[in-house]
Amino acid sequence: AQKVTQAQTEISVVEKEDVTLDCVYETRDTTYYLFWYKQPPSGELVFLIRRNSFDEQNEISGRYSWNFQKSTSSFNFTITASQVVDSAVYFCALSGVTFGNEKLTFGTGTRLTIIP
Amino acid sequence: SQTIHQWPATLVQPVGSPLSLECTVEGTSNPNLYWYRQAAGRGLQLLFYSVGIGQISSEVPQNLSASRPQDRQFILSSKKLLLSDSGFYLCACQKLGLAGSRELFFGEGSRLTVL
């Protein structure tokens, strides 16, 4: 069975600070996908990134960066120089690769509040 | 790219009344479709998913049902709503691709309040 743990329920930081959201996963699959989603106050979930398990290169997109470490089963998300618009609930998720194993397993989310 | 439409966006229903939430997808074909529910301040609970017309898998036993009458239409229903059915319902679309895409794309959500 797959499991995603986001231990941080809520985080508050002052604007311009860096913040890291933790994600730890469990799976018996040797290959899998990891995802991050953002849910702003409007409610719609916005896809941020997909990472394949065989690619452990860290990724950077503007102020966002993702640190995938297979050895510790973690896929952490860092926002650099946070802004008020980053305030949202962030979900980490995991899915299998094989046919019939496409469902995403989501963590419980981390509510991030950026204080102006 | 695909677009997911959900309606109604908001509804308030009395206990015992029926429910119908609709989700339609544009810009893709043969997608996997999902219904999630999010209770206030909580995570996402997968309710149903469908890999094709008429094919529905239920994740949890409950007061709700789903149907997929057309390739890009997914409907969530209930004959008699319970207070516990209140929540934010999200429809999602998944297009499996050769590049290994698995990500879900979500609609705007439907917020249901049962009184």
Side-chain angles (χ1 to χ4, degrees):
Chain A
Q2 298 178 333
K3 184 178 179 182
V4 176
T5 301
Q6 295 180 256
Q8 304 154 307
T9 306
E10 296 189 23
I11 301 175
S12 294
V13 299
V14 176
E15 194 174 18
K16 297 184 183 177
E17 288 186 351
D18 299 348
V19 58
T20 296
L21 309 182
D22 297 333
C23 173
V24 174
Y25 61 91
E26 297 174 28
T27 180
R28 295 178 182 172
D29 295 341
T30 54
T31 55
Y32 45 88
Y33 296 105
L34 294 162
F35 309 83
W36 275 97
Y37 283 84
K38 175 182 180 180
Q39 186 178 36
S42 61
E44 181 177 349
L45 269 82
V46 178
F47 165 69
L48 296 178
I49 190 173
R50 170 179 51 119
R51 170 61 80 203
N52 302 336
S53 59
F54 51 82
D55 181 2
E56 289 196 62
Q57 266 194 328
N58 291 331
E59 182 153 344
I60 298 175
S61 176
R63 296 184 296 107
Y64 294 173
S65 62
W66 290 270
N67 182 3
F68 174 37
Q69 293 201 345
K70 209 168 183 177
S71 60
T72 57
S73 298
S74 65
F75 186 42
N76 296 338
F77 173 28
T78 297
I79 301 175
T80 303
S82 59
Q83 300 176 2
V84 173
V85 293
D86 296 327
S87 295
V89 180
Y90 290 86
F91 291 94
C92 180
L94 166 72
S95 84
V97 172
T98 55
F99 177 77
N101 196 19
E102 308 97 359
K103 291 183 291 181
L104 271 66
T105 299
F106 283 87
T108 51
T110 297
R111 181 177 299 277
L112 175 63
T113 301
I114 308 300
I115 303 166
Chain B
S1 63
Q2 60 267 50
T3 305
I4 301 97
H5 298 290
Q6 284 185 242
W7 69 90
T10 306
L11 68 165
V12 179
Q13 295 284 99
V15 170
S17 65
L19 171 74
S20 181
L21 300 179
E22 189 160 343
C23 170
T24 59
V25 179
E26 295 177 357
T28 189
S29 59
N30 302 315
N32 289 349
L33 296 175
Y34 297 78
W35 278 112
Y36 285 87
R37 177 170 61 199
Q38 187 177 29
R42 306 289 293 277
L44 298 165
Q45 179 186 31
L46 177 61
L47 302 176
F48 301 95
Y49 73 97
S50 171
V51 299
I53 296 174
Q55 300 179 63
I56 309 294
S57 295
S58 174
E59 288 295 296
V60 292
Q62 58 206 321
N63 186 42
L64 302 169
S65 62
S67 62
R68 186 169 177 177
Q70 300 181 46
D71 179 48
R72 291 175 289 177
Q73 184 184 29
F74 203 24
I75 298 171
L76 184 69
S77 304
S78 174
K79 292 182 179 178
K80 288 185 177 182
L81 284 169
L82 306 173
L83 286 174
S84 58
D85 292 324
S86 292
F88 188 54
Y89 289 82
L90 288 155
C91 177
C93 169
Q94 182 185 50
K95 184 63 178 178
L96 306 182
L98 293 175
S101 62
R102 290 287 186 278
E103 52 270 23
L104 299 179
F105 293 94
F106 286 83
E108 311 95 331
S110 297
R111 193 167 303 280
L112 169 67
T113 302
V114 182
L115 302 175

